């Protein structure tokens, strides 16, 4: 007898032989026992899961000489003919090669004749989704009301392509993928039949590679048997098929966990030189990282991992946490998508493994938030967690109070809230420990600072308030470094600087005779008027006016008096309230009651009308914005515009604005707009710009007036 492949040799012949399809088998057996046999069945599911085999078993169960029965004998002539595919009453049709209406017309003609030597004439159409739309439509009437001796069985891997009109006329059965452990058991039985020894790890790999398809598993099994010489091992599969293997993956990922980038690149080169493809290496790495993630989450099921949990490296499991492994897995999944359009897939692979070498430093957003939450107490001024020291050790000599600059006080306050006793950990309780600060802590406790310049007075040095030369402040959070150099005359004055030095820079000679009782100096300003003085305006044409930035400015008419504004506002209100024809003023309103009963000001009424019009009529809202002060008199709103052009535009939208006013006010309102009269101003003499303004203008142009730098 010629050689027969395992997938054909081990094809199921009974309902009980179906692997992983118990629901389908039990349903069909019960329908046959009860005699409730449908005239059309639709089997759908992935490849190699038993659709065509189930159709043949159903045909044998219906046409068996002992049946219909749920247990076909397999020995009668009908069963043997169906098994061999030679039965005249069981017709198998390939839907991919018989897609036209002519093929369906042939079937319609054949169903008119009863079966030759069986009870039923059964049509098995495989890959039925390949039929054309016209062919499906031609088949509708036949499968809906066929002769009582005709049964249709359709099989497809793409159920979504089958029209709903076909689905509604068939009993549908969805076939599932076969579990890995069941596939492994079937492979072990096949190996026993052939008298071949097979390791569990090798069978697990074949079962996982089949992705739930029994036909794929048997096909790969036959290939492995061909080069295994009677003993199937994982090592042989790895070497012959160009796989990486879990041992090699443990080696390369341990090097990544230990940040040995050079070793990782060398191992990748060895794998590629040994014939492992880049796609296969990425796939194996993704499977490895998935298994690590499952182990980290407590999953130890061997059928999910593909290997026993003990086979995976404890070094990698201990070096990376769950978040970091998730990051690595997402990196390789994205890498597999990127290599299709990459300049060099090998470069992409090496870059991905290089990134794994610093994966131990990866911090997720959730961990950052957790650290910030832990630091909330410190940021809000909570005391540092440290053991309480005895009073004799914590007592400090009281220093006499001396005036210190504001920045020095701030630095001392920050020191006081963050300092800890020498030798103690300055990190507050609950805060994550930063290993990068250990060196700084050791230096500060030893009295060494990176910013120590040797100058006791320099900021950040050993003698500065923010320094660490005394060793009493082992705080790794420094005060920000030295202050920047003075850039202007307004820079803060040093603690040891004398006011006279600053005065010398400013060229302002301030005598020190005037001293108050509390020790403060009240300077007497002497403004020089010589050519060397800097308080004199060099651009003034009439010479120095005797004013400096230390005195109040002289009186002039440049700045208007505040009372002038109120007078102008009153005049404008009177002009707006007068209609120009009657001497008696109309009854004006300061507030207004809307239709909803809300009391609002006239300005709020205008804003409400503008907002409503902005939704319904944008041009009308724009015209309302150009109007002046609104004056409400009885049922009329009077206002003005600046130009005749604006008046012409607003006249076109006058009815729209009036309608919106009436809706808001709850009664008919009018909207009156007039052109604002331009006042003829008398020719006034030009106002001379004060000297102070000229000084400011020159200063912004770059002329230094306040003092010498």
């Amino acid at each position: 007898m010629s050689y027969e492949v395992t997938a054909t040799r081990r094809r199921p012949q009974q309902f009980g032989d179906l692997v992983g399809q118990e629901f389908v088998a039990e349903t069909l057996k019960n329908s046959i026992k009860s005699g409730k046999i449908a005239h059309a069945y639709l089997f759908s599911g992935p490849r190699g899961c038993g659709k065509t085999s189930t159709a043949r078993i159903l045909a044998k169960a219906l046409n068996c000489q002992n049946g219909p029965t749920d247990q076909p004998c397999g020995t009668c002539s009908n069963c043997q003919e169906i098994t061999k595919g030679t039965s005249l009453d069981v017709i198998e049709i390939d839907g991919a090669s018989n897609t036209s209406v002519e093929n369906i017309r042939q079937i319609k003609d054949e169903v008119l004749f009863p079966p030759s030597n069986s009870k039923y004439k059964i049509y098995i159409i495989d890959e039925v989704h390949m039929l054309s739309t016209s062919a499906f439509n031609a088949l509708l009437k036949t499968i809906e009301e066929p002769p009582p001796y005709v049964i249709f069985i359709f099989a497809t891997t793409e159920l979504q392509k089958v029209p709903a009109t076909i689905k509604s006329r068939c009993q549908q059965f969805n076939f599932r993928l076969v579990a890995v452990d069941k596939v492994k058991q079937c492979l072990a039985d096949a190996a026993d039949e052939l008298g071949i020894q097979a390791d569990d790890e090798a069978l697990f790999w074949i079962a996982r590679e089949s992705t739930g398809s029994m036909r794929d598993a048997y096909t790969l099994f036959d290939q492995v048997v061909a080069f295994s010489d009677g003993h199937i091992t994982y090592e042989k599969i790895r070497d012959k098929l160009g796989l990486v293997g879990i041992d090699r993956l443990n080696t390369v990922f341990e090097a990544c966990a230990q940040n040995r980038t050079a070793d990782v690149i060398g191992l990748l080169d060895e794998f590629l030189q040994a014939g492992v493809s880049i796609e296969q290496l990425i796939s194996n790495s993704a499977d490895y990282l998935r298994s690590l993630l499952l182990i980290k989450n407590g999953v130890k099921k061997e059928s999910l991992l593909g290997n026993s949990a003990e086979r995976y490296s404890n070094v990698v499991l201990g070096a990376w946490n769950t978040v970091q492994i998730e990051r690595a897995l997402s990196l390789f999944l994205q890498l597999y998508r990127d290599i299709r359009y990459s300049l060099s897939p090998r470069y992409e692979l090496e870059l991905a493994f290089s990134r794994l070498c610093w994966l131990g430093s990866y911090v997720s957003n959730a961990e950052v938030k957790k650290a910030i939450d832990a630091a909330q107490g410190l940021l809000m001024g909570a005391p540092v967690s440290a053991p309480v020291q005895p009073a004799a050790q914590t007592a400090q000599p009281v220093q006499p109070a001396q005036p210190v600059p504001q920045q020095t006080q701030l630095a001392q306050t920050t020191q006081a809230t963050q300092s800890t006793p020498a030798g103690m950990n300055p990190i507050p309780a609950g805060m994550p420990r930063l290993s990068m600060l250990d060196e700084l802590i050791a230096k500060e406790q030893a009295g060494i600072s990176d910013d120590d310049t040797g100058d006791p007075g320099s900021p950040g040095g050993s003698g500065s308030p923010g320094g660490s030369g005394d060793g009493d402040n082992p705080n790794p959070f420094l005060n920000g470094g030295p202050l920047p150099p003075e850039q202007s005359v307004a820079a803060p004055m040093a603690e040891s600087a004398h006011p006279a030095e600053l005065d010398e820079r400013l060229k302002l000679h301030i005598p020190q005779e005037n001293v108050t009782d509390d020790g403060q100096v009240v300077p007497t300003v002497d403004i020089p008027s010589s050519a060397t003085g800097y308080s004199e305006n060099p651009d003034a044409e009439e010479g120095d006016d005797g004013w400096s930035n230390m005195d109040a400015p002289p009186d002039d008419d440049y700045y208007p008096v505040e009372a002038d504004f109120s007078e102008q506002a009153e005049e404008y209100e009177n002009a707006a309230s007068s209609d120009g024809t009657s001497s008696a003023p109309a009854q004006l309103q300061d507030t207004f009651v809307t239709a909803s009963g809300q009391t609002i000001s006239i300005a709020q009424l205008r804003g409400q009308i503008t907002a409503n019009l902005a939704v319904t009529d944008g041009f009308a809202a724009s015209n309302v914005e150009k109007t002046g002060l609104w004056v409400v008199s009885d049922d009329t709103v009077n206002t003005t515009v600046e130009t005749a052009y604006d008046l012409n535009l607003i006249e076109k939208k006058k009815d729209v604005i009036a309608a919106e006013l009436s809706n808001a006010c709850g009664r008919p309102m009018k909207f009156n707009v007039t052109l604002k009269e331009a006042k003829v101003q008398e020719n006034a003499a030009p106002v001379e710009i004060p000297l102070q303004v000229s000084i400011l203008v020159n200063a912004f142009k770059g002329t230094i007036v306040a003092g010498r730098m």
Side-chain angles (χ1 to χ4, degrees):
M1 183 178 180
S2 61
Y3 172 75
E4 192 175 14
V5 296
T6 305
T8 304
R9 187 180 69 254
R10 293 186 56 83
R11 182 186 291 271
Q13 302 298 329
Q14 300 286 340
F15 286 113
D17 298 336
L18 294 174
V19 180
Q21 315 300 336
E22 290 78 9
F23 166 75
V24 177
E26 290 298 325
T27 304
L28 293 177
K29 288 170 64 176
N30 293 334
S31 64
I32 294 174
K33 289 179 181 179
S34 60
K36 299 178 180 179
I37 303 171
H39 56 269
Y41 296 90
L42 178 59
F43 296 161
S44 62
R47 68 183 189 278
C49 59
K51 299 184 295 296
T52 305
S53 298
T54 304
R56 292 181 179 179
I57 296 173
L58 178 60
K60 287 193 294 183
L62 296 176
N63 285 341
C64 182
Q65 294 179 357
N66 300 327
T69 176
D70 60 331
Q71 297 289 340
C73 63
T75 58
C76 65
S77 59
N78 290 342
C79 290
Q80 292 182 357
E81 289 176 357
I82 295 174
T83 302
K84 297 177 182 179
T86 59
S87 176
L88 297 177
D89 297 326
V90 178
I91 301 97
E92 293 191 26
I93 301 174
D94 180 17
S97 57
N98 298 274
T99 61
S100 63
V101 180
E102 296 297 332
N103 303 119
I104 301 302
R105 183 179 292 113
Q106 181 180 356
I107 295 176
K108 294 175 63 177
D109 295 339
E110 291 178 356
V111 298
L112 299 176
F113 301 97
S116 58
N117 55 357
S118 301
K119 187 174 183 179
Y120 293 97
K121 177 177 283 190
I122 301 174
Y123 286 90
I124 301 175
I125 304 179
D126 201 3
E127 301 298 332
V128 70
H129 65 273
M130 298 296 292
L131 294 181
S132 63
T133 304
S134 301
F136 274 124
N137 294 332
L139 194 60
L140 290 177
K141 190 64 176 178
T142 304
I143 65 174
E144 184 176 10
E145 296 178 357
Y149 50 81
V150 175
I151 295 177
F152 289 94
I153 303 176
F154 303 137
T156 179
T157 56
E158 300 183 23
L159 182 62
Q160 71 278 3
K161 293 184 179 181
V162 179
T165 52
I166 297 293
K167 296 178 184 177
S168 63
R169 290 167 168 81
C170 304
Q171 285 191 9
Q172 300 182 39
F173 292 89
N174 296 322
F175 286 69
R176 307 170 184 174
L177 292 173
V178 185
V180 176
D181 51 351
K182 293 183 179 180
V183 176
K184 174 184 174 296
Q185 184 61 42
C186 292
L187 294 176
D189 296 341
D192 292 339
E193 289 180 1
L194 298 175
I196 297 175
Q197 184 180 358
D199 295 346
D200 288 342
E201 186 178 1
L203 296 180
F204 261 123
W205 181 85
I206 298 175
R208 290 185 62 192
E209 288 296 316
S210 65
T211 62
S213 172
M214 285 303 306
R215 184 169 58 239
D216 292 359
Y218 285 136
T219 302
L220 185 57
F221 174 79
D222 290 339
Q223 182 180 358
V224 172
V225 168
F227 59 75
S228 296
D229 295 332
H231 186 194
I232 302 175
T233 63
Y234 183 75
E235 288 73 14
K236 293 179 181 179
I237 297 176
R238 180 194 64 191
D239 296 336
K240 299 296 183 180
L241 299 182
L243 306 180
V244 183
I246 188 171
D247 296 332
R248 295 179 179 177
L249 289 174
N250 282 334
T251 303
V252 69
F253 278 96
E254 284 179 1
C256 292
Q258 297 170 357
N259 198 11
R260 295 186 282 117
T261 308
D263 295 341
V264 172
I265 300 300
L267 290 172
L268 292 179
D269 183 67
E270 292 180 5
F271 297 159
L272 298 178
Q273 293 295 334
V276 179
S277 65
I278 294 178
E279 292 81 2
Q280 187 66 45
L281 181 56
I282 296 174
S283 177
N284 294 151
S285 300
D287 292 339
Y288 182 85
L289 291 171
R290 169 187 173 272
S291 300
L292 292 182
L293 186 60
L294 293 177
I295 295 174
K296 275 286 189 179
N297 287 278
V299 178
K300 302 295 181 65
K301 190 176 180 181
E302 189 173 355
S303 60
L304 290 177
L305 300 178
N307 296 280
S308 60
E310 292 76 14
R311 293 290 306 275
Y312 294 90
S313 173
N314 293 326
V315 176
V316 182
L317 291 171
W320 293 340
N321 56 30
T322 304
V323 176
Q324 292 168 345
I325 296 177
E326 289 178 356
R327 173 67 176 174
L329 180 57
S330 64
L331 183 66
F332 274 88
L333 294 177
Q334 183 62 39
L335 175 62
Y336 192 83
R337 294 188 288 266
D338 291 343
I339 60 174
R340 296 176 56 189
Y341 308 103
S342 175
L343 174 66
S344 174
R346 176 166 181 166
Y347 295 168
E348 298 279 357
L349 178 66
E350 292 174 348
L351 177 60
F353 274 96
S354 178
R355 288 174 177 172
L356 290 184
C357 292
W358 54 265
L359 186 63
S361 303
Y362 173 75
V363 180
S364 65
N365 296 335
E367 292 175 315
V368 173
K369 181 181 181 299
K370 184 177 180 181
I372 294 176
D373 292 341
Q376 183 178 4
L378 176 64
L379 297 176
M380 297 179 64
V384 176
S385 176
V388 179
Q389 300 294 329
Q393 298 180 4
T394 58
Q396 299 291 338
V398 179
Q399 300 292 337
Q402 296 180 358
V404 294
Q406 184 179 1
Q407 291 187 352
T408 306
Q409 292 179 359
L410 180 60
Q412 292 177 353
T413 304
T414 306
Q415 246 186 353
T417 58
Q418 295 183 351
S419 61
T420 56
M424 303 303 296
N425 181 18
I427 306 300
M431 282 286 291
R433 183 175 183 85
L434 304 178
S435 60
M436 64 184 68
L437 297 179
D438 292 341
E439 185 178 353
L440 286 175
I441 297 174
K443 286 184 178 181
E444 296 222 6
Q445 291 178 352
I448 303 173
S449 175
D450 295 337
D451 297 333
D452 196 351
T453 59
D455 184 6
S458 63
S462 59
S464 65
S468 57
D470 53 359
D472 296 333
N473 179 27
N475 188 4
F477 303 97
L478 304 180
N479 61 357
L483 295 176
E486 295 182 358
Q487 300 294 332
S488 65
V489 296
M493 182 174 56
E495 182 179 1
S496 60
H498 195 273
E501 300 177 4
L502 183 60
D503 296 337
E504 182 64 24
R505 295 200 307 270
L506 296 175
K507 294 297 182 181
L508 298 177
H509 304 293
I510 302 178
Q512 304 297 320
E513 290 81 8
N514 300 332
V515 180
T516 60
D517 297 336
D518 55 356
Q520 297 183 357
V521 177
V522 180
T524 301
V525 181
D526 183 14
I527 306 300
S529 58
S530 61
T532 58
Y534 283 89
S535 61
E536 181 180 356
N537 183 13
D539 296 333
E541 298 178 356
E542 300 178 358
D544 190 11
D545 60 352
W547 175 83
S548 70
N549 56 355
M550 303 292 293
D551 300 328
D555 297 333
D556 53 30
D557 297 332
Y558 181 77
Y559 299 101
V561 184
E562 183 178 358
D564 296 340
F565 289 107
S566 60
E567 294 177 0
Q568 294 177 4
E570 185 176 357
E571 293 176 359
Y572 178 74
E573 184 176 359
N574 294 334
S577 62
S578 176
D579 56 359
T581 59
S582 175
S583 59
Q587 296 296 327
L588 305 181
Q589 301 180 22
D590 295 333
T591 60
F592 201 88
V593 179
T594 62
S596 61
Q598 181 182 5
T599 302
I600 61 176
S601 64
I602 303 303
Q604 291 176 337
L605 175 63
R606 175 181 173 178
Q608 180 178 350
I609 298 302
T610 305
N612 294 340
L613 289 175
V615 178
T616 59
D617 194 331
F619 289 103
S622 176
N623 293 331
V624 170
E625 287 289 341
K626 298 178 181 180
T627 59
L629 180 66
W630 282 26
V631 179
V632 181
S633 176
D634 296 335
D635 59 347
T636 305
V637 175
N638 299 310
T639 184
T640 60
V641 290
E642 295 287 343
T643 64
Y645 176 75
D646 294 337
L647 179 62
N648 186 24
L649 292 178
I650 205 169
E651 284 291 340
K652 297 179 180 179
K653 297 292 183 179
K654 189 175 181 179
D655 296 338
V656 178
I657 301 173
E660 190 64 37
L661 275 171
S662 302
N663 293 334
C665 300
R667 66 174 187 270
M669 296 291 295
K670 299 179 181 179
F671 188 70
N672 184 27
V673 185
T674 58
L675 185 62
K676 183 177 180 181
E677 297 181 359
K679 294 183 178 180
V680 180
Q681 298 182 355
E682 300 179 357
N683 294 330
V687 179
E688 182 181 359
I689 298 178
L691 181 61
Q692 298 89 334
V693 179
S694 299
I695 293 175
L696 293 177
V697 172
N698 292 331
F700 281 106
K701 289 181 179 180
T703 304
I704 299 178
V705 178
R708 185 189 301 273
M709 292 298 293

